[in-house]
Structures are given as C-alpha cells and as structure tokens.
Amino acid sequence: MKIICSKENLLNGINIVQKAVSTKTTLPILEGILLNADEKFKLTGNDLEIGIECFVEADIRETGSIVINSKIFGDIVRRLPDSEVLIEVKENNLVIVECENSHFEIKGINPNGYPALPNVDKENVLTLTQGKLKDMIRQTVFAVGTDENRPVLTGSLIEVKDKELVVVSIDGFRLALRRKILEGDVNDFSVIVPGKTLNEISKILQAGEEEVYIYNSNNQIVFDAQSWRIVSRLIEGKFLNYNSLLNKEFETRVIINIKEFQSSLERASLISMNDKNSPVKLSIGNDRIVITSNAELGAVREEIKVDIEGNNLEIGYNPAFLIDALKAIDEDRAAIYFITTNAPCTLRPVVENNNDFAYLVQAVRI
C-alpha cells in the first residue's frame, strides 16, 4: 500500500474513527486503525460494539491495507508539519510515514484478523440534517441511565411513528423527550441506541444542513453521512412506556423565563452541590418562585417572578437535573407542570398544543 494525502484530511479521519477504537481489550488488533487503499482510502475503527468508517481524500499509488496502533499513529500525525503525508507499507508489515523532513517507521499488524463491520440492510431509512440530529441527541442523551442492571435505560429510544420522530432518554429519575415531524414517507420503527454511540455521533456531526441517513436491521443501526459511516449494535428489550409518564394533569402551572430560572438554580446549587442530601426547595406562590437551599456549608435564597396558574406549592428537586433540562431547551420561556409535592414536574413548551419537547424531573423529599 502506498498513498499520499494532506495532514489535515488524514488527521480529521483519525479523529473520527478513534472514537470507535477500543482502549480496554486483550486483542491488540482492536487497538489499531485499519487503513485500506482500494478505489478509495478508508480508515476504520471497531471495538465490536460500535464501528466507524471514514473516507479520506488521497492519491492512491498502490492498493493494500494495514492495521496501525491508533494512539501511536494519531500522536505522530498530530505532530507532523502541515503538509502532504506519505504512507507506505513495506515487507513484514513495516509502515513508513513521511512528511517533509520527518520519517517514521512503525510496526503494523496484518489486517486479515481485523473484524469487518456488519452489513446492514437499508430496511428503514430516515434522512435528517446533521444539525437537527446533533440537536436532538444533545437535548436528550444527558438523561440516559448508567445502571447496567437496567440495560434498556442505558440507551435512547429512537422511534418513528405516523411520520413523527421521537427521541427519548430515561434514567429512572428524569426523562428527556424531543419530537420532530418528518417529511415524506418513512417506515415506522422503534430501536434503542446505546448512549455511548449517541455521545460519539454527536461529536462527529456538523451543525449544518448536510444530510445523514439512518437505517437499521438485524439488531444493528447505521448513521451514514457519505464521508463517514457509523455502525452500532442496538440494545435489545422493551423501552418504558414514556407516554404513561407524561401526565398532562396538573395542580400548578408556572411559566418561567428559562435563563433567569437557570441562573437562580445554578447560584442556589453552589451551596448544595457538595451535599447530595441538600436539594433545593421551590416555594411557589404569589406570582413568584422562592428557591432556597440549606446545607452544612450555609444557606441561599433566590427569588424570581413567574406566571402561576393553580395552587401554591412547596417541592424539592436535585438542582442539577432541573438545570440539565433547562440547558436543553432552546427557547426563552417554558411551562412547568406540578401535580403534588411527591410527584415529578414536567417542562413543556408554553404553547399548549406544542409537543416538541418534554422534560420530566422526579421530586425529592425536603
């Protein structure tokens, strides 16, 4: 194999596929990146749960393939001059990397043992802009669970039903949901994608109008942006019935300014952040929310004006969970629905027939 490409393009490809390279494995080949030069120059990372392919523009002088240790290869390329890079494979899997006056010789690994990415039929194809998918992941993935005893909650539900896309994450203490109406004909499907996969995808996606194609079959899902492709296993099992958790009944409805409420909570959490047993208390009434927190460190009181419909209420929350939800809402205002002092609250759009998002946060005892 012999190819020449720019350092910039090569490093971009390495940065993408490294997100799927295993760092804890007994198989040295999985710590490597597969370089393959055929009709195109392709880099591949695969940890057997998520695999990423990235095509890099290159002048292919000789076809072939090799596996190179990901960390060593990445560190070398990052420190090369900003110029053209020559990669050539010699006998005994010796890899030559040259750039201007730099010359490296690296021991490569025979590529025959490198696991191929699964073939996934395009049974259910969904097309989104990268920017929209990036937003929907960002606005929900923070609520993915970490308890391996409840594996279905360690991923996000991606569901298409009646031309509506829904992405939902639940960790047992909170729920994050985003909806989008789709254009064109799309088959209904429902899959659970690992949170790890979605976190890595969100780092690769661009905040623009370039399209990404999503399709799944045989317990695998693919995110294909033409220049890169991610294949991930799906989580088997039945996701929680999220609709049953989003009760629209309420005793108290409050309209908040998101930035103002978020800032007050962040200041109040400075007192409680080092004491998990010290939640913030919300006292709702008289057209205002009074936020208080008492801990060994001290006490804090914040007050903001709001629009209130319904009964006065005192209720406690983990402030970090409320702040995460507020950060995910790209609007100036939101409505918070409260039922009782022991029940979760739900954040929704102010316009009542708008179902674009919903965030549920479980109350805590005060």
Side-chain angles (χ1 to χ4, degrees), residues 247-256 261 282 284 289 308-309 311 313-317 322 335-341 343-347 361 363:
N247 194 330
K248 289 194 174 183
E249 296 180 0
F250 67 93
E251 292 293 327
T252 307
R253 179 175 182 262
V254 178
I255 306 297
I256 58 160
F261 189 40
L282 308 183
I284 302 167
I289 296 179
I308 299 175
E309 175 187 348
N311 302 327
L313 186 69
E314 286 193 349
I315 192 166
Y317 289 100
L322 285 174
I336 309 181
Y337 295 84
F338 301 90
I339 304 173
T340 68
T341 56
C345 71
T346 306
L347 289 78
V361 180

Side-chain angles (χ1 to χ4, degrees), residues 24-90:
K24 296 179 181 179
T25 179
T26 57
L27 300 174
I29 198 166
L30 293 183
E31 295 178 346
I33 294 174
L34 172 64
L35 281 62
N36 185 74
D38 195 355
E39 295 180 358
K40 295 182 178 180
F41 181 46
K42 180 175 69 176
L43 309 183
T44 304
N46 187 0
D47 68 1
L48 303 182
E49 291 191 3
I50 176 175
I52 304 178
E53 294 179 339
C54 183
F55 294 97
V56 176
E57 186 176 339
D59 178 8
I60 299 174
R61 302 291 178 86
E62 296 177 11
T63 61
S65 58
I66 193 70
V67 175
I68 306 178
N69 180 276
S70 171
K71 185 179 187 309
I72 294 172
F73 188 44
D75 288 346
I76 288 172
V77 174
R78 286 183 186 91
R79 289 165 175 78
L80 290 176
D82 294 328
S83 186
E84 297 292 301
V85 180
L86 166 71
I87 301 174
E88 184 175 8
V89 180
K90 298 287 191 178

Side-chain angles (χ1 to χ4, degrees), residues 166 168 175-177 179 241-249 339 345-348 357-361:
V166 181
V168 187
L175 173 152
L177 177 148
R179 286 189 175 92
N241 182 357
Y242 60 89
N243 284 315
S244 67
L245 302 174
L246 297 171
N247 194 330
K248 289 194 174 183
E249 296 180 0
I339 304 173
C345 71
T346 306
L347 289 78
R348 297 178 181 273
F357 67 80
Y359 295 94
L360 181 147
V361 180

Side-chain angles (χ1 to χ4, degrees), residues 8-239:
E8 180 183 5
N9 289 342
L10 179 59
L11 184 57
N12 181 59
I14 291 171
N15 288 337
I16 289 174
V17 301
Q18 274 186 333
K19 300 182 190 314
V21 174
S22 180
T23 56
K24 296 179 181 179
T25 179
T26 57
L27 300 174
I29 198 166
L30 293 183
E31 295 178 346
I33 294 174
L34 172 64
L35 281 62
N36 185 74
D38 195 355
E39 295 180 358
K40 295 182 178 180
F41 181 46
K42 180 175 69 176
L43 309 183
T44 304
N46 187 0
D47 68 1
L48 303 182
E49 291 191 3
I50 176 175
I52 304 178
E53 294 179 339
C54 183
F55 294 97
V56 176
E57 186 176 339
D59 178 8
I60 299 174
R61 302 291 178 86
E62 296 177 11
T63 61
S65 58
I66 193 70
V67 175
I68 306 178
N69 180 276
S70 171
K71 185 179 187 309
I72 294 172
F73 188 44
D75 288 346
I76 288 172
V77 174
R78 286 183 186 91
R79 289 165 175 78
L80 290 176
D82 294 328
S83 186
E84 297 292 301
V85 180
L86 166 71
I87 301 174
E88 184 175 8
V89 180
K90 298 287 191 178
E91 293 182 359
N92 298 320
N93 297 319
L94 183 67
V95 183
I96 306 298
V97 179
E98 290 185 350
C99 182
E100 293 187 354
N101 297 321
S102 298
H103 177 95
F104 289 87
E105 296 183 2
I106 311 167
K107 291 183 179 180
I109 302 174
N110 189 307
N112 291 337
Y114 198 85
L117 268 60
N119 289 321
V120 182
D121 295 332
K122 296 183 179 180
E123 292 181 1
N124 304 303
V125 182
L126 167 65
T127 305
L128 289 176
T129 65
Q130 290 194 36
K132 185 60 182 177
L133 179 59
K134 187 180 182 74
D135 284 343
M136 294 186 79
I137 293 173
R138 172 183 62 85
Q139 293 160 339
T140 54
V141 76
F142 64 86
V144 165
T146 57
D147 184 358
E148 295 297 334
N149 293 320
R150 306 179 72 185
V152 294
L153 298 187
T154 63
S156 294
L157 176 72
I158 296 182
E159 183 176 66
V160 173
K161 189 174 182 180
D162 299 329
K163 294 186 178 182
E164 183 180 72
L165 169 65
V166 181
V167 180
V168 187
S169 301
I170 303 173
D171 67 3
F173 302 98
R174 54 186 170 169
L175 173 152
L177 177 148
R178 281 280 164 168
R179 286 189 175 92
K180 175 178 171 53
I181 302 300
L182 301 172
E183 299 178 0
D185 294 329
V186 184
N187 292 336
D188 290 354
F189 68 87
S190 179
V191 295
I192 305 173
V193 183
K196 174 191 173 183
T197 298
L198 294 174
N199 273 313
E200 299 303 346
I201 289 172
S202 68
K203 298 172 187 175
I204 299 171
L205 291 165
Q206 301 297 310
E209 297 299 312
E210 297 88 352
E211 291 186 328
V212 58
Y213 302 90
I214 305 169
Y215 51 93
N216 65 89
S217 70
N218 298 326
N219 200 38
Q220 300 284 337
I221 190 166
V222 176
F223 298 82
D224 190 342
Q226 305 300 309
S227 62
W228 53 261
R229 185 172 74 104
I230 296 176
V231 183
S232 171
R233 67 172 182 85
L234 295 170
I235 297 175
E236 297 183 359
K238 187 175 182 181
F239 203 74

